[in-house]
Amino acid sequence: MSVVQQGVIRTPFQLSHSQIACNSTYVVLPYVRTTLGVWKLDQITAKPLSLEGHHGRVSASCFGHQALPTLLCSASDDYVIIWNIENVFKCLLTGKQITGSVIGTSLGHINYCSFNLDDSLVAICSDRTVHILHTHEERVQSILEGHDSMVSCCEFCPHYTATLVTVSHDRTFKVWNVEDGCIVYQSTIISSSPFISLAMSKAHEQVAMGTADGQVRIYDMSDGNDFRCLHELDVPKILSKYKETALDQRENDSTNKEPNFVSSRPSWQKQKMSHDQKDDPTEGATDLSEVGCSIIGLFYTYQPLTEHREDNENQFLQQSDTVVKDLLASQPTLVIGTTGGILQVNVKTLELIQFTDFQDQTSVAPGLGSLSTAGCYAFCQPNPSQVWCVVGSLFEPLVYVLTETIKSTIGNLPDILDGSLSLNESSPILSVLSSAPLFPNSPLKAELTPKVKDATTTQKGTKKMVMAVATKGQVVDQPLTFKSKVRSSGYSAESPRRTMFQPKTNSSKSAPPTKTPSRLSNRKSAIKEYAMNCGSPSQLKEKLDIAEKPAAINKIQFSGDGQYLACALANNSAQLVKMPLSSGKGTSLVGHNGAVNAITWSHDNQLLLSCSDDKTSMLWSKSGNEPIMEFKTVNNNFSIDKDGSTAKLDKENPMFGQEIKLIQFYYVDKFILLVSGNAFNMYKYHLDPTKSDLKRYKTNSRYKIVKSFQMTEAQQITALSAINSFHSYLVLCAGSNKTVEIFDMNAAKSVHCFQDVHSAKPAHVICQNQGSSYASHPATAYDMFLTAAANDSIKLWDLRTKSCVRRYEGHSNRAHSCGLDISPCSKFIASGSEDRAAYVFDVRSGTYLHKLTGHTDVVSDVVFHPMYSQLATACLDGGNKTLY
């Protein structure tokens, strides 16, 4: 049990809507009428220290931020008093009278008070105004007014000492500069319910605000970001989902046997039918949300930086993995106090870590049965693994002192990164880099070897090449192209040729060799390296309209050497553009009878794959505009007749029944992965570029299916990703059931499934860190992958921890499939958006760095250049831009 009750304190009145105070050593509560009591946390059952000085009821109190001296501010309708706790205990030992310093009188009903970082100022919230008082003298520095309703909370920013944030019942917040006496920012009406809680993060420049309807909004406080909203957290929705999951788990753990459910429906409908016939699992979730939806307390915890163990030997050979360690090492937690329980939420991912439900007797500590509804909270963190929660009851004059353990979302991170510890003994750590050898029956050993003709067949073929002699009255077919010389009439023999005169034209300069420049250019491109410390693209460089008529661009991708940009269009064609875009050179790949959904490059940058809504896929050469091979049937294309057309339909080798949405090369161009419906197929293939001069439409290239993998619980595969730049066993698939499934192609089975990857809709894109030929990364960097879904944010996942490690918000994505890409330096993330802009995020922060505007329609896809710090964007109206 993570929540432990340390004691219960009885107060003279109910403390609902009152501010109580605690720090790592003391807790302060009303003791007798107008007297305050000071308890030590380790002696919560002992008699408290009494502080007398107020003539009215104390409505707000808070501790200062400095360790010595420990200052306490207590406020009532008559006085605002500052107490020095160390001097109070000295007076108690010496028998002197205990007194405090009065710094304010008759300020009205006080709702909240807060110290600044150095404890020199204190902010007092009184009705609609905020008074800034000096702590060492009775003097008002400034009075802040502007809210249209009662100011509920105020906090000084720990990163900018002169910045004060206030929230009000008028559903707005304001940012003030108390030194200059001016307002920095004021928001519009944000919520339908008033703001009633506020918390500042000491580790990050963020502020969290809670409302009465259970919404938590986190805003960016860093300079220059216009106080944009980073995250929105719907606590009632989280509680409802938690209740549903808990009920399902109890049903699975129950010993009562239920009748077996047999259905002839597909697997993706079978689960829904069985779920509907049971009792509604959401019953009671509504009651839980109604009891515990108001956010009356917020607190940011801190986590010490985890030092990653490194081998000091040969450190100069190791790449820097600071980005990965920054993403995984520190996982701060936001503690949310509601009227019905306490939640622990991961700040980076906004995922629920732990929930203590006051209504559930099995999840609370003994003695908390009477605490059904909380009225106020105070938090402190004496050590990194524990939080003290002081909870005042809403209906009774009781205060419960609790300790709650902070659960880590990753576990023992250094051991996990080193590979010496697994999160679960039954599930080994997953990694994109293949470390185990191929199994004897591994599908990755499959190869398609063409049959070699024997000697007799070759001799016959040679005889066929000899021109046949026609007998009398017989016509023999002759080739259109003659291999041998044909004598023209009138010439019996060829006269010898003499060289009469040949001028010497290369005396000054020798002619350059033809093959040397290409070798030098390849050598120069291989020497180039990606600038790892470069900035993110932010300015428009080039613009090009791909199609003559407006046509949506579904997918774009750079070749591995960055020389070409391939575009998949909705006008049944694909475009191959030579870089730079200003050159205007390119090739049109025409052959599909439907919109081209995706296009991808091979590892050697010589081949391309395209797939379309016409239920076919085509393999192209970079140097030609005719397809080398076409995928029409599921199993193979061996049934092509002599005329080059497909033979009669074969039940054992049917045509694809659904559109082909995704396709790509895999295992360093050895295989091809193709997605149709809820399955993806792995094909081996053999390319024969030779063609007959008479039958150019006939192809000699062949493909054959190796194995088909199916997501049984999903109706359709919505995204696919696999590494092709090196040998990797893992393939990632996203399904329409909101899951992401990991397949081990070496073992030919599914090894892990991420449930509920996105809450609103299934992921429409999976983006892995593919790296670049011009950049090197540590092995840990390739185990990260991104997912995005409509009506949700971008999420960064780690395969080793099997969890989400970061969340990115700020872009607009509600209906369309907007693309994602990771920069070759692994520091930036680019995303398309529906507000006619592209967004560039920093991997280590949750907000965007640049908003690239100027597009005329929805930005459907983005891709980074593999060699330079450039970004290409595509629109649904056919516009294409390159930004740097």
Side-chain angles (χ1 to χ4, degrees), residues 546-556 566-576 588-589 592 594-599 611-613 874-875 877-880:
I546 295 298
E548 295 180 359
K549 296 181 180 180
I553 302 178
N554 297 324
K555 184 70 176 178
I556 58 175
C567 307
L569 304 179
N571 62 355
N572 307 349
S573 68
Q575 296 289 336
L576 192 60
S588 180
L589 307 179
H592 287 289
V596 182
N597 297 318
I599 190 166
C611 59
S612 172
D613 285 341
C875 298
D877 61 352
N880 191 301

Side-chain angles (χ1 to χ4, degrees), residues 445-757:
K445 287 187 174 182
E447 292 184 359
L448 185 59
T449 305
K451 294 182 179 180
V452 182
K453 296 182 180 180
D454 53 7
T456 59
T457 306
T458 306
Q459 291 177 1
K460 290 182 180 180
T462 308
K463 290 181 180 180
K464 287 183 179 180
M465 294 178 63
V466 179
M467 188 177 301
V469 180
T471 60
K472 186 176 182 180
Q474 182 181 2
V475 179
V476 180
D477 293 337
Q478 296 291 335
L480 297 177
T481 305
F482 297 95
K483 303 294 182 178
S484 59
K485 296 180 180 180
V486 180
R487 292 183 179 183
S488 177
S489 60
Y491 296 91
S492 60
E494 184 178 358
S495 60
R497 294 184 179 182
R498 298 179 181 179
T499 304
M500 302 297 294
F501 173 75
Q502 183 176 1
K504 188 175 181 181
T505 58
N506 57 352
S507 58
S508 60
K509 181 177 345 176
S510 60
T514 56
K515 296 184 179 181
T516 306
S518 60
R519 292 179 179 177
L520 290 177
S521 61
N522 293 336
R523 196 173 296 174
K524 288 181 180 179
S525 61
I527 294 175
K528 289 184 179 179
E529 293 184 3
Y530 190 92
M532 303 299 289
N533 296 325
C534 62
S536 60
S538 60
Q539 296 179 0
L540 178 64
K541 181 181 179 182
E542 293 176 298
K543 181 178 180 180
L544 176 67
D545 293 332
I546 295 298
E548 295 180 359
K549 296 181 180 180
I553 302 178
N554 297 324
K555 184 70 176 178
I556 58 175
Q557 189 178 25
F558 276 111
S559 59
D561 55 4
Q563 299 296 323
Y564 291 89
L565 178 66
C567 307
L569 304 179
N571 62 355
N572 307 349
S573 68
Q575 296 289 336
L576 192 60
V577 183
K578 175 72 174 177
M579 297 300 293
L581 295 180
S582 57
S583 63
K585 299 179 180 179
T587 306
S588 180
L589 307 179
V590 180
H592 287 289
N593 294 324
V596 182
N597 297 318
I599 190 166
T600 181
W601 285 90
S602 62
H603 180 64
D604 59 1
N605 306 318
Q606 300 298 320
L607 302 175
L608 295 100
L609 276 171
S610 64
C611 59
S612 172
D613 285 341
D614 61 0
K615 303 178 184 179
T616 64
S617 176
M618 292 186 180
L619 181 65
W620 310 80
S621 174
K622 181 183 68 173
S623 57
N625 55 3
E626 294 182 359
I628 302 176
M629 184 171 58
E630 185 176 5
F631 290 79
K632 283 187 177 181
T633 53
V634 176
N635 294 331
N636 55 64
N637 65 341
F638 297 162
S639 60
I640 297 179
D641 58 15
K642 297 180 180 180
D643 295 333
S645 59
T646 306
K648 295 181 180 180
L649 294 178
D650 188 0
K651 293 182 179 180
E652 297 181 357
N653 187 22
M655 301 182 69
F656 290 101
Q658 299 185 33
E659 296 84 359
I660 301 177
K661 297 294 185 181
L662 301 163
I663 193 168
Q664 75 163 85
F665 290 96
Y666 173 61
Y667 212 67
V668 195
D669 299 342
K670 184 178 180 180
F671 301 101
I672 292 176
L673 302 179
L674 185 147
V675 174
S676 181
N678 66 339
F680 74 93
N681 304 331
M682 185 172 72
Y683 294 95
K684 55 184 179 180
Y685 63 97
H686 170 72
L687 300 181
D688 187 357
T690 60
K691 289 187 177 182
S692 173
D693 293 329
L694 297 177
K695 300 177 181 180
R696 297 184 59 85
Y697 51 85
K698 181 181 178 182
T699 178
N700 296 322
S701 301
R702 295 292 182 262
Y703 69 87
K704 183 180 180 180
I705 190 171
V706 178
K707 192 173 182 60
S708 180
F709 300 86
Q710 189 176 14
M711 296 185 68
T712 56
E713 302 297 334
Q715 186 179 5
Q716 189 174 6
I717 294 179
T718 58
L720 175 77
S721 180
I723 298 292
N724 186 45
S725 56
F726 53 85
H727 293 99
S728 175
Y729 298 157
L730 301 184
V731 174
L732 285 64
C733 292
S736 56
N737 57 346
K738 303 178 185 178
T739 63
V740 170
E741 198 164 352
I742 313 297
F743 290 89
D744 188 349
M745 308 302 286
N746 186 24
K749 65 178 182 179
S750 175
V751 292
H752 186 72
C753 184
F754 294 89
Q755 299 290 338
D756 295 329
V757 175

Side-chain angles (χ1 to χ4, degrees), residues 112-125:
Y112 201 88
C113 58
S114 176
F115 282 94
N116 66 342
L117 189 61
D118 58 359
D119 295 345
S120 60
L121 300 175
V122 61
I124 305 296
C125 299

Side-chain angles (χ1 to χ4, degrees), residues 302-585:
Y302 68 90
Q303 292 290 337
L305 295 178
T306 306
E307 295 184 359
H308 181 59
R309 295 194 299 267
E310 294 183 354
D311 187 9
N312 294 327
E313 186 179 0
N314 299 331
Q315 280 191 352
F316 64 95
L317 296 177
Q318 302 175 1
Q319 296 93 354
S320 175
D321 57 349
T322 57
V323 176
V324 179
K325 288 190 290 185
D326 290 344
L327 287 171
L328 300 179
S330 178
Q331 295 288 329
T333 303
L334 178 63
V335 180
I336 303 174
T338 66
T339 53
I342 303 174
L343 297 85
Q344 288 187 23
V345 177
N346 190 324
V347 176
K348 293 184 177 181
T349 63
L350 297 188
E351 293 184 350
L352 181 63
I353 304 173
Q354 178 181 324
F355 175 57
T356 302
D357 185 11
F358 296 152
Q359 308 294 322
D360 189 1
Q361 300 299 323
T362 60
S363 63
V364 298
L368 288 180
S370 59
L371 180 58
S372 59
T373 308
C376 60
Y377 282 93
F379 300 97
C380 65
Q381 187 178 6
N383 56 72
S385 61
Q386 197 176 57
V387 173
W388 286 72
C389 308
V390 182
V391 187
S393 177
L394 181 63
F395 302 110
E396 295 179 326
L398 296 176
V399 174
Y400 296 83
V401 181
L402 313 174
T403 57
E404 185 170 11
T405 304
I406 301 176
K407 286 190 175 182
S408 176
T409 58
I410 296 182
N412 195 352
L413 179 65
D415 293 334
I416 294 174
L417 294 178
D418 293 339
S420 59
L421 181 66
S422 176
L423 293 174
N424 190 353
E425 294 180 357
S426 61
S427 61
I429 295 178
L430 301 177
S431 179
V432 170
L433 296 175
S434 55
S435 57
L438 291 175
F439 296 151
N441 57 348
S442 174
L444 298 178
K445 287 187 174 182
E447 292 184 359
L448 185 59
T449 305
K451 294 182 179 180
V452 182
K453 296 182 180 180
D454 53 7
T456 59
T457 306
T458 306
Q459 291 177 1
K460 290 182 180 180
T462 308
K463 290 181 180 180
K464 287 183 179 180
M465 294 178 63
V466 179
M467 188 177 301
V469 180
T471 60
K472 186 176 182 180
Q474 182 181 2
V475 179
V476 180
D477 293 337
Q478 296 291 335
L480 297 177
T481 305
F482 297 95
K483 303 294 182 178
S484 59
K485 296 180 180 180
V486 180
R487 292 183 179 183
S488 177
S489 60
Y491 296 91
S492 60
E494 184 178 358
S495 60
R497 294 184 179 182
R498 298 179 181 179
T499 304
M500 302 297 294
F501 173 75
Q502 183 176 1
K504 188 175 181 181
T505 58
N506 57 352
S507 58
S508 60
K509 181 177 345 176
S510 60
T514 56
K515 296 184 179 181
T516 306
S518 60
R519 292 179 179 177
L520 290 177
S521 61
N522 293 336
R523 196 173 296 174
K524 288 181 180 179
S525 61
I527 294 175
K528 289 184 179 179
E529 293 184 3
Y530 190 92
M532 303 299 289
N533 296 325
C534 62
S536 60
S538 60
Q539 296 179 0
L540 178 64
K541 181 181 179 182
E542 293 176 298
K543 181 178 180 180
L544 176 67
D545 293 332
I546 295 298
E548 295 180 359
K549 296 181 180 180
I553 302 178
N554 297 324
K555 184 70 176 178
I556 58 175
Q557 189 178 25
F558 276 111
S559 59
D561 55 4
Q563 299 296 323
Y564 291 89
L565 178 66
C567 307
L569 304 179
N571 62 355
N572 307 349
S573 68
Q575 296 289 336
L576 192 60
V577 183
K578 175 72 174 177
M579 297 300 293
L581 295 180
S582 57
S583 63
K585 299 179 180 179

Side-chain angles (χ1 to χ4, degrees), residues 198-270:
L198 181 68
M200 288 282 185
S201 174
K202 296 181 179 179
H204 305 88
E205 298 178 6
Q206 298 177 359
V207 56
M209 305 175 188
T211 61
D213 60 350
Q215 304 296 318
V216 178
R217 292 175 173 84
I218 301 176
Y219 290 88
D220 189 4
M221 292 292 295
S222 57
D223 191 14
N225 286 338
D226 299 329
F227 304 98
R228 65 171 72 113
C229 182
L230 299 178
H231 309 292
E232 292 186 13
L233 188 62
D234 192 349
V235 173
K237 186 176 181 180
I238 292 178
L239 296 180
S240 178
K241 183 178 178 181
Y242 168 82
K243 186 69 175 180
E244 181 179 354
T245 305
L247 289 177
D248 291 341
Q249 185 175 2
R250 290 178 185 177
E251 289 179 0
N252 295 332
D253 296 340
S254 61
T255 56
N256 297 329
K257 296 184 179 180
E258 297 182 357
N260 189 19
F261 186 82
V262 181
S263 175
S264 62
R265 295 178 178 272
S267 57
W268 57 273
Q269 287 185 343
K270 190 184 302 181

